Amino acid sequence: MCHRVCLVSISLFFLILWIPGTTFTQSPSGDFSASAEISVAEAISLAHRVVGTRVNEFIFQNFDTDTIRDVFEISSSDGKILIRGNSGIDLASGLNWYLKHYCHAQFTVIDQQLSLPGEFPLPDSLIVIRTSYRFRYFFNVCTFSYTMAWWEWKEWERQIDWMAMNGVNLPLAITGQEEVWHEVYRELGLTESQIDSFLVGPAYLPWGWMGNIDGFGGPLPASWRESHAALQQKILDRERALGMTPVLQGFTGHVP
């Protein structure tokens, strides 16, 4: 089983395409692109979560470009830091770039160093950062149990903030997949006991999703399935509002 798990995991694993000094963003397909107003509002909300009330010292603006490659600009206006981008992710990435290069600050998923200066330094010239990559994928399937099995919205919100600030626009999004399977199997006529013996427990869900094991660590209570389906909706709403295109799981061919 381990051999098969590793092969499947490797086939599904991609690294973020990152070059230092570049950043990324925006929905690659455009299907779920947020409006300019939503992008700016989401960027301001994200900035407030990161720098608190000092968000008022920033101005965020959306602008359209004639390229599918993402870009952000940093300058100053009326004594404030002006960040412009063509999506919520660009704006968040611009904030991250400014904090890192001008304030020597760092925001991570589990920690942060945000000893901000009394006055934010104003750029003395226009800074333009472009990405060479249209798609920036993130997550290994196994991460959803290795790291995130017990995450609730608090942890996910911070993770999504970090993804936006680092230019991710194509995140794997399979939280709550087990509830989709449950609904489908019920429609196909399976009993609850049959489904319970098939779905695996929380720590083993990736292997169940990939079709490697049945029932191990289960059964999953209805409260788990329902709460994670609701959590997935919040995850998708936030990712799409920022301009990401979540990657949803297709049918793997694995049935009871």
Side-chain angles (χ1 to χ4, degrees), residues 141 144-145 148-151 156 173-186 192 195-196 198-210 218-232 235 249-250 254 256:
V141 172
F144 285 78
S145 273
M148 304 181 296
W150 314 110
W151 276 15
W156 265 108
I174 51 178
T175 300
Q177 179 72 16
E178 57 276 15
E179 176 63 5
V180 177
W181 285 20
H182 177 268
E183 292 181 9
V184 170
Y185 294 146
R186 287 294 294 168
E192 288 294 337
I195 298 172
D196 284 345
F198 176 72
L199 295 178
V200 299
Y204 308 96
L205 282 170
W207 290 272
W209 294 331
M210 291 185 289
L220 280 173
S223 59
W224 172 278
R225 299 195 316 268
E226 293 165 1
S227 65
H228 281 72
L231 176 60
Q232 171 75 332
I235 293 169
Q249 180 168 328
H254 188 213

Side-chain angles (χ1 to χ4, degrees), residues 68-100:
I68 60 175
R69 300 294 188 261
D70 290 307
V71 58
F72 66 75
E73 298 178 353
I74 302 175
S75 60
S76 63
S77 177
D78 297 326
K80 297 184 177 183
I81 310 303
L82 173 61
I83 301 176
R84 302 176 72 233
N86 57 1
S87 73
I89 303 175
D90 288 337
L91 297 173
S93 296
L95 171 67
N96 191 41
W97 195 95
Y98 174 82
L99 293 175
K100 182 183 297 184

Side-chain angles (χ1 to χ4, degrees), residues 4-138:
R4 184 179 176 189
V5 169
C6 293
L7 289 177
V8 175
S9 299
I10 291 171
S11 70
L12 291 170
F13 180 74
F14 299 88
L15 291 175
I16 302 176
L17 299 177
W18 170 266
I19 293 179
T22 65
T23 192
F24 322 109
T25 319
Q26 204 175 26
S27 167
S29 66
D31 293 341
F32 299 110
S33 295
S35 69
E37 293 79 7
I38 292 176
S39 294
V40 171
E42 288 295 333
I44 294 173
S45 295
L46 182 153
H48 187 271
R49 290 190 292 272
V50 175
V51 300
T53 57
R54 300 197 67 180
V55 66
N56 296 323
E57 299 176 52
F58 291 85
I59 300 172
F60 295 92
Q61 293 179 355
N62 191 284
F63 69 90
D64 294 324
T65 63
D66 57 359
T67 175
I68 60 175
R69 300 294 188 261
D70 290 307
V71 58
F72 66 75
E73 298 178 353
I74 302 175
S75 60
S76 63
S77 177
D78 297 326
K80 297 184 177 183
I81 310 303
L82 173 61
I83 301 176
R84 302 176 72 233
N86 57 1
S87 73
I89 303 175
D90 288 337
L91 297 173
S93 296
L95 171 67
N96 191 41
W97 195 95
Y98 174 82
L99 293 175
K100 182 183 297 184
H101 292 273
Y102 275 80
C103 305
H104 308 293
Q106 183 182 40
F107 176 91
T108 73
V109 174
I110 60 174
D111 203 358
Q112 63 189 32
Q113 184 284 103
L114 292 173
S115 299
L116 302 177
E119 293 185 8
F120 284 127
L122 299 178
D124 54 13
S125 61
L126 176 66
I127 299 165
V128 180
I129 306 293
R130 301 179 185 275
T131 177
S132 301
Y133 302 101
R134 184 180 178 188
F135 303 105
R136 285 88 60 187
Y137 180 90
F138 194 60

Side-chain angles (χ1 to χ4, degrees), residues 129-174:
I129 306 293
R130 301 179 185 275
T131 177
S132 301
Y133 302 101
R134 184 180 178 188
F135 303 105
R136 285 88 60 187
Y137 180 90
F138 194 60
F139 285 134
N140 182 325
V141 172
C142 295
T143 308
F144 285 78
S145 273
Y146 283 165
T147 303
M148 304 181 296
W150 314 110
W151 276 15
E152 297 182 355
W153 176 241
K154 177 183 178 181
E155 290 81 13
W156 265 108
E157 183 172 53
R158 188 179 180 94
Q159 175 69 62
I160 296 170
D161 285 349
W162 181 90
M163 290 193 296
M165 294 172 70
N166 287 275
V168 174
N169 69 348
L170 200 65
L172 185 63
I174 51 178

